[in-house]
Amino acid sequence: MVTIAVTAEGPDEPRVAVSPETVRKLTGLGATVRVETGAGRRARFSDDALKAAGAEIASTAAEAVSGADVLLKVRRPSVDEVRGLKPGAVVAAILDPYDRAGLDPLAGTNANLFSMEFMPRTTRAQSMDVLSSQANLAGYKAVVDAASLFGQALPMMMTPAGTVPATKVFIMGVGVAGLQAIATARRLGAIVSATDVRPATKEQVASLGAKFVAVEDDEFKEAQTAAGYAKPMSAEYQAKQAELIADHIKIQDIVITTALIPGRPAPRLITRAMVDSMKPGSVIVDLAAERGGNCEATVPGETVEVSDVKIVGPLNLAGTIPVNASSLYAKNLYAFLELFFDKKDKSFRIDWDDDIVKGTLVARDGQIVHPSLAPQSA
Ligand code: NAD
């Protein structure tokens, strides 16, 4: 019988890696699910609800992991937690694998470490894609937070007392978070525009009723990798883009930035001079804050005011909606673990040749094995 352990996250992480729904599904596969007491509290999954779904409640993290075959987490577990598992156990979490100082000691435990942020962007892996499930919520919350900080209403309102003009919202980076930010800002009645370096986004922006703003030269036409991500752009392109953005940003009220390039610091898209050019009372929410920020004036984890512009640098926006974020994250993990279960004989085994296993496995037998963590690409 396979035992799956779930322990509580640290003080800065309100999400949890399991929900009553996934406990039911995992026990349905023949597994025992052992959850540390209180682990789901901040996501409103009480011990009682998890127990009613079939989980065992452990009184400490050490008890939860003791001899377990699998550990599910949101963030990187501690080395002690992983050492408590069976030798060669499976650990699935957002491991932040480029931070080698944190990853290497975990790899040293000989556990099989799976990094959920490396999930391939394929149709088959869509239900396991934690970056998408969390970015979607973050894109929504960025607009809601910006709207609440902005001292004006978003939709145009025609009233007997006068007309309230619609707010202008500009979204920079149209991936999963950016698309949801566009949709949310449109629902709130704002006039929305958006930019990205990947040409495929132009049509997506238009289909959501927003205006696309970008330098569309030959480099732009080639800016998407085979994996669907953005390539780092040349200095020439960035200069042309910056000129266009500088003109556009002056007349915006709210800017949501989400631009990322895998494994690199976030591209700098908003300079201090651009911030200075914005209208007083404008708001920037920088979703790339965790990776250094798209705005030069962003302070990760803080809200600062520069030239009368509020700049928000959230570090875990999906975590501010922990109920939905945990439900979706837990479902992603369930879909991933389902790969390891043989439905007929209820056995648990890893198919090392599976694309999803190969794509997410970062460490095995004490070695870092993922190609994107090899010395030449580090
Ligand atoms: P991401 O978080 O890596 O980046 C966010 C956005 O920033 C991207 O759209 C990127 O093009 C953009 N960006 C990077 N540099 C920029 C710059 N200098 N200026 C402006 N924008 C810049 O992206 P993501 O949300 O993870 O999505 C990446 C792609 O993967 C998208 O095409 C998305 O639709 C696709 N996707 C596919 C699947 C699937 O098929 N299963 C699942 C999820 C996402």
Side-chain angles (χ1 to χ4, degrees):
M1 165 91 79
V2 175
T3 299
I4 299 169
V6 180
T7 56
E9 301 290 326
D12 296 334
E13 182 51 78
R15 294 172 290 179
V16 63
V18 78
S19 66
E21 182 186 358
T22 63
V23 168
R24 264 190 294 276
K25 286 173 176 278
L26 290 166
T27 50
L29 291 175
T32 298
V33 182
R34 216 190 282 145
V35 184
E36 181 185 352
T37 181
R41 188 180 45 80
R42 287 172 290 174
R44 302 218 200 104
F45 305 149
S46 65
D47 285 358
D48 285 347
L50 292 164
K51 213 166 153 181
E56 291 176 6
I57 304 297
S59 50
T60 60
E63 189 187 317
V65 297
S66 176
D69 304 87
V70 178
L71 173 61
L72 302 180
K73 292 285 288 191
V74 178
R75 300 282 176 177
R76 205 158 48 204
S78 70
V79 171
D80 278 350
E81 281 175 313
V82 179
R83 282 204 200 289
L85 302 167
K86 260 191 201 144
V90 164
V91 176
I94 301 170
L95 290 173
D96 193 9
Y98 292 108
D99 172 17
R100 294 297 292 271
L103 184 70
D104 290 356
L106 278 189
T109 64
N110 288 359
N112 296 304
L113 304 181
F114 292 91
S115 212
M116 290 298 103
E117 57 268 71
F118 279 169
M119 192 59 69
R121 254 61 210 273
T122 57
T123 306
R124 185 171 158 250
Q126 233 165 358
S127 59
M128 312 169 200
D129 187 346
V130 304
L131 291 186
S132 292
S133 72
Q134 306 303 297
N136 177 51
L137 294 172
Y140 155 80
K141 193 66 189 313
V143 174
V144 171
D145 285 356
S148 100
L149 284 174
F150 187 55
Q152 297 174 49
L154 266 62
M156 187 180 81
M157 295 182 206
M158 289 165 85
T159 81
T163 299
V164 172
T167 289
K168 292 193 177 74
V169 177
F170 181 40
I171 314 293
M172 303 183 77
V174 188
V176 178
L179 285 171
Q180 184 54 256
I182 295 174
T184 304
R186 289 273 299 150
R187 276 183 219 124
L188 289 173
I191 298 169
V192 185
S193 56
T195 188
D196 200 295
V197 290
R198 289 182 301 112
T201 58
K202 186 177 177 176
E203 211 181 292
Q204 295 165 354
V205 168
S207 74
L208 288 170
K211 186 177 162 223
F212 190 66
V213 180
V215 172
E216 298 180 44
D217 63 4
D218 288 343
E219 189 178 346
F220 171 83
K221 290 180 190 131
E222 305 290 323
Q224 179 157 325
T225 66
Y229 289 108
K231 287 181 187 163
M233 303 303 276
S234 69
E236 290 79 23
Y237 183 90
Q238 286 183 43
K240 283 193 276 181
Q241 191 193 29
E243 210 175 306
L244 181 70
I245 299 304
D247 269 347
H248 189 66
I249 221 164
K250 277 187 231 168
I251 52 164
Q252 302 304 311
D253 300 300
I254 291 175
V255 180
I256 311 286
T257 68
T258 78
L260 290 176
I261 296 160
R264 289 175 179 262
R268 277 288 150 87
L269 304 178
I270 304 181
T271 60
R272 171 64 205 258
M274 290 183 200
V275 174
D276 292 343
S277 78
M278 292 179 77
K279 291 179 277 181
S282 300
V283 178
I284 299 172
V285 177
D286 190 344
L287 282 187
E290 208 166 335
R291 299 257 291 278
N294 291 141
C295 172
E296 203 171 42
T298 295
V299 180
E302 287 181 31
T303 298
V304 293
E305 202 152 339
V306 174
S307 305
D308 275 333
V309 175
K310 287 196 182 77
I311 304 165
V312 190
L315 292 181
N316 181 8
L317 212 43
T320 65
I321 327 175
V323 179
N324 305 122
S326 302
S327 294
L328 299 181
Y329 182 77
K331 283 276 280 289
N332 292 144
L333 287 185
Y334 167 75
F336 176 66
L337 273 194
E338 209 183 4
L339 288 179
F340 298 60
F341 282 90
D342 187 311
K343 291 234 168 76
K344 281 199 200 101
D345 63 11
K346 304 223 163 174
S347 63
F348 182 84
R349 66 179 85 87
I350 302 172
D351 175 0
W352 300 107
D353 292 326
D354 187 300
D355 281 350
I356 293 173
V357 169
K358 282 200 279 199
T360 51
L361 182 69
V362 292
R364 181 183 177 186
D365 297 332
Q367 303 297 316
I368 300 290
V369 294
H370 199 280
S372 70
L373 301 173
Q376 66 275 16
S377 58

